[in-house]
Amino acid sequence: MRFQLLGPLALADGPDTVVLQPSKPANLLAALLLHANSPVSAEYLQRAIWGEEQPATARAALQTCVLRLRRLFSKHGVTTSIDAVPGGYRITAAPPTLDLLGFRDRVRRAAGLDRDPEAELCALRDALSLWQGSLLANVRSVVLHRDEVPRLAEERLRAVERVCDLLLALGRCGEALVDLWTATRVHPGHERFHEQLIEALYRSGRQSQALAEYRRVKGFLLEELGVDPSPSLRRLELAVLRGEDLGPAGPAAPRVIRGETVALPAARPVTAPDAAPSTAPDAASVMAPDAASAPDQGVPPVTAQGVSPAQAQGASPVTPQAASGVVAPGPTPVPAQGGPPVPAQGGPPVLAQGGSPAPAPAPGATPVAAPVTAAGTTFAPVAAPRIEPVPAVPHFTGRAAEAAALTARLTAPPPPGPEDHRPLTVLVSGAPGIGKSALAQHAARLARDAFPAGQLLVRMTRADGEPRPADEVAADVAAALGAAGEGRALLILDDVVDADQVRPLLTLREEAGAGPGPAVVVTSRMGLGGLIATHGGWVQRLTTFTETESYALLLTALGTERVEAEPRAAHRLAAVCGHFPAALRILTARLLTRPGLRLADAADWLGDDPLARLTLTDSPDHSVSGLFDRALGRLDPRLSEAFTHLAQGPPTLLDDRGPDDDGPVPEAVREQLADAGLLEDGPPGPYRIHDLLRAHVRRTARIRDRRTEKV
């Protein structure tokens, strides 16, 4: 059993992970683990649980929280104990049982590998792989997010900086670009990342793009902060303008580990290979369209480093209301459940999967808007605003018939009579990563003139994938609709888990006597047949792209010149991806950072191990395997076991054997799996499993079996 802090607070046992629900004991556990193996004063723990204003019974309530944690440990077989020490409590952990200690241990070991840059790079990559998303997303402690999260975020940034320095020193500029495109867009004010990106572009023979990147960061610093670029950035610009030889990459910056500075030796100098200037489209404009910045996985700006619990008391707290992220349509911000207004941003947010910042989604894939933080404001980490105006989908391609049908349905006049007051409901369903959200948002933008009161994107799950309670969503939506203008509004309820989440939202304005209720577009992996049966509506179920749609996506994302130069290889790439939108989106993001890579070589490389290579190296969770893992994690354990049996067995297990022979997996169970978007309609047979999903389940089973054998 091990604790996970570098993401949502969780307990993990092998492949099984339990994400803790937000609670006061969760706040307590996070505070103890952040200072593992050290006594933590009761006063600090009380502030971590209740904030600066504590109840009169805080000391007694703290003891109750400790008791509840001990019971939780006993329930899950956790042998770690919480010990009472003079003035407070202490929890004991080691690198194998706490990912934060494991990360720091691997970083320290990497620092000792200065004579072998390749080994150091591998060790740092291994350390960064422990980060699992938004830091402490399920811990509602203002004190921890104010005092501790920025320090942890800084530790990660130092490791990422070092990785990029090593890649540049080793002459692997193409690999460095994969990390740096994302890092510079996620941290637009971090000049060292911009300096590394400009250097990587220039060493790759892309002088014009290097200069364009300098102009972009210079404009951002002047407009947002009112400062000029650093002297080192200005010197680099002059070197690029003059076409000077930069020589071998220099020493890296020092690394900070828990407030202690550890000097890092320079990597072994390696001369960057010559490279011809690229004629591919500017990856910066493709990967992060219409956005100047997006915070890293919802982590707030760094405000402290190495601050001890006793020192961090003066900063202003972050209110949960300010972190809720409710944004009303139009220019007027809407308070979230009584909290202060959330400033709206001018441009649409960067789109990413699962809340992680990432390159722009491929057309037709499912985007999730990354959080946008107003200048000068600190928010607690969240994956995205809970309600926001419907963003545009860059480079939307494919789904022409579906988009036209959905737009026509939304813009059709309502039937006369009392039914005017019943909301139009459209369900867009399908497998995870099939492009439901992208289609819904694209159609909403096409039909925006029909909804003068505005269009809202409502996220129905939290950052950790847990469904939001219906009453919480209803309160947020009611507040947003109350600030909307006259006429009809459109709601996109994104990633609905079950019908009970939706029903309270279908009669909001009707019950208030405010005229016609909003039109509602529901996106869900589930079929939600019960909702359609009781409330009516129209269903659009999505499947994988056609071969023509996949090819069109590659043309749009990679450029006509590159794709039409190797049309057969482009079709092979689409086939290896199974014409699956999420896989194609990840593939195009990787190819954009390697403009010199031939598509035929990419097809051979991808075909060797598609699951391992359909991932973004800087964000392991942004992968096809991660997408499938999260989808399977939502299943009831019995359904998950049945699906694993089907995926590991021969395709004949899915054959329809008639009502008298259900086989090892009954027809009712197969129906539930199809309803969850994990089984596709045939032929052959009534159902089939997508090749990538089948391969993922089999691969996961093999890994689990090997771990069991080792034990």
Side-chain angles (χ1 to χ4, degrees), residues 9-26:
L9 180 61
L11 295 176
D13 185 11
D16 300 319
T17 301
V18 177
V19 177
L20 302 185
Q21 294 297 319
S23 63
K24 291 179 176 58

Side-chain angles (χ1 to χ4, degrees), residues 168-201:
L168 291 174
L170 291 167
R172 291 156 61 175
C173 297
E175 289 184 50
L177 286 172
V178 175
D179 294 318
L180 290 168
W181 282 125
T182 299
T184 53
R185 272 54 186 172
V186 169
H187 304 282
H190 198 296
E191 293 187 63
R192 177 59 184 154
F193 283 147
H194 290 286
E195 187 176 347
Q196 291 172 318
L197 176 58
I198 293 169
E199 181 180 345
L201 288 169

Side-chain angles (χ1 to χ4, degrees), residues 191-238:
E191 293 187 63
R192 177 59 184 154
F193 283 147
H194 290 286
E195 187 176 347
Q196 291 172 318
L197 176 58
I198 293 169
E199 181 180 345
L201 288 169
Y202 183 62
R203 290 181 182 276
S204 301
R206 298 156 71 174
Q207 183 182 23
S208 61
Q209 282 185 265
L211 291 172
E213 179 62 22
Y214 176 83
R215 289 192 295 270
R216 198 193 71 81
V217 66
K218 180 180 179 181
F220 171 82
L221 292 173
L222 286 173
E223 293 173 11
E224 299 294 329
L225 305 176
V227 298
D228 291 317
S230 64
S232 59
L233 260 177
R234 295 199 296 270
R235 286 193 296 269
L236 181 59
E237 182 212 20
L238 285 176

Side-chain angles (χ1 to χ4, degrees), residues 483-561:
E486 295 297 324
R488 203 173 199 193
L490 172 66
L491 299 178
I492 296 180
L493 308 181
D494 193 41
D495 199 13
V496 169
V497 176
D498 56 50
D500 289 337
Q501 274 189 306
V502 179
R503 290 190 175 101
L505 303 176
L506 299 183
T507 56
L508 283 176
R509 284 204 169 188
E510 179 183 350
E511 291 174 354
V520 177
V521 177
V522 174
T523 72
S524 179
R525 301 171 187 177
M526 308 300 296
L528 301 184
L531 180 70
I532 300 300
T534 57
H535 288 73
W538 180 70
V539 178
Q540 176 67 66
R541 189 167 182 90
L542 301 184
T543 59
T544 54
F545 277 160
T546 64
E547 187 173 352
T548 301
E549 288 175 324
S550 297
Y551 189 78
L553 186 152
L554 295 176
L555 283 172
T556 302
L558 300 178
T560 303
E561 181 180 354

Side-chain angles (χ1 to χ4, degrees), residues 20 25-26 28-29 32 64-74 82:
L20 302 185
L28 170 62
L29 178 59
L32 288 170
T64 302
C65 287
V66 171
L67 180 60
R68 289 176 62 186
L69 272 184
R70 288 169 174 166
R71 289 174 177 171
L72 177 67
F73 286 5
S74 177
I82 300 175

Side-chain angles (χ1 to χ4, degrees), residues 399-411 439 442-443 446 538 540:
R399 309 287 192 206
E402 293 89 342
L406 182 51
T407 304
R409 182 70 59 171
L410 292 175
T411 56
L439 174 63
H442 180 67
L446 294 176
W538 180 70
Q540 176 67 66

Side-chain angles (χ1 to χ4, degrees), residues 567-704:
R568 290 187 179 180
H571 284 291
R572 282 178 56 207
L573 283 170
V576 173
C577 291
H579 305 288
F580 197 70
L584 288 165
R585 175 168 55 83
I586 293 171
L587 170 68
T588 54
R590 298 205 68 167
L591 290 178
L592 282 170
T593 63
R594 291 171 170 81
L597 180 65
R598 295 176 60 248
L599 298 189
D601 294 335
D604 293 337
W605 169 79
L606 181 63
D608 290 340
D609 193 350
L611 285 173
R613 290 165 180 174
L614 285 171
T615 183
L616 299 180
T617 54
D618 63 312
S619 180
D621 277 348
H622 197 131
S623 64
V624 170
S625 291
L627 176 69
F628 290 154
D629 275 335
R630 290 188 290 272
L632 294 171
R634 286 191 186 180
L635 287 180
D636 179 278
R638 291 169 296 180
L639 283 179
S640 179
E641 182 179 351
F643 183 74
T644 300
H645 183 75
L646 288 173
Q648 291 185 278
T652 53
L653 285 180
L654 296 171
D655 290 345
D656 186 2
R657 305 170 183 231
D660 298 329
D661 186 4
D662 275 338
V665 179
E667 181 180 358
V669 175
R670 283 177 278 165
E671 284 286 330
Q672 288 179 280
L673 292 170
D675 190 62
L678 297 175
L679 296 184
E680 302 174 339
D681 293 335
Y687 298 119
R688 58 189 172 86
I689 300 176
H690 193 279
D691 290 342
L692 286 177
L693 181 54
R694 185 185 291 274
H696 169 74
V697 173
R698 291 178 173 178
R699 180 192 185 109
T700 302
R702 287 196 300 270
I703 293 173
R704 187 164 51 243

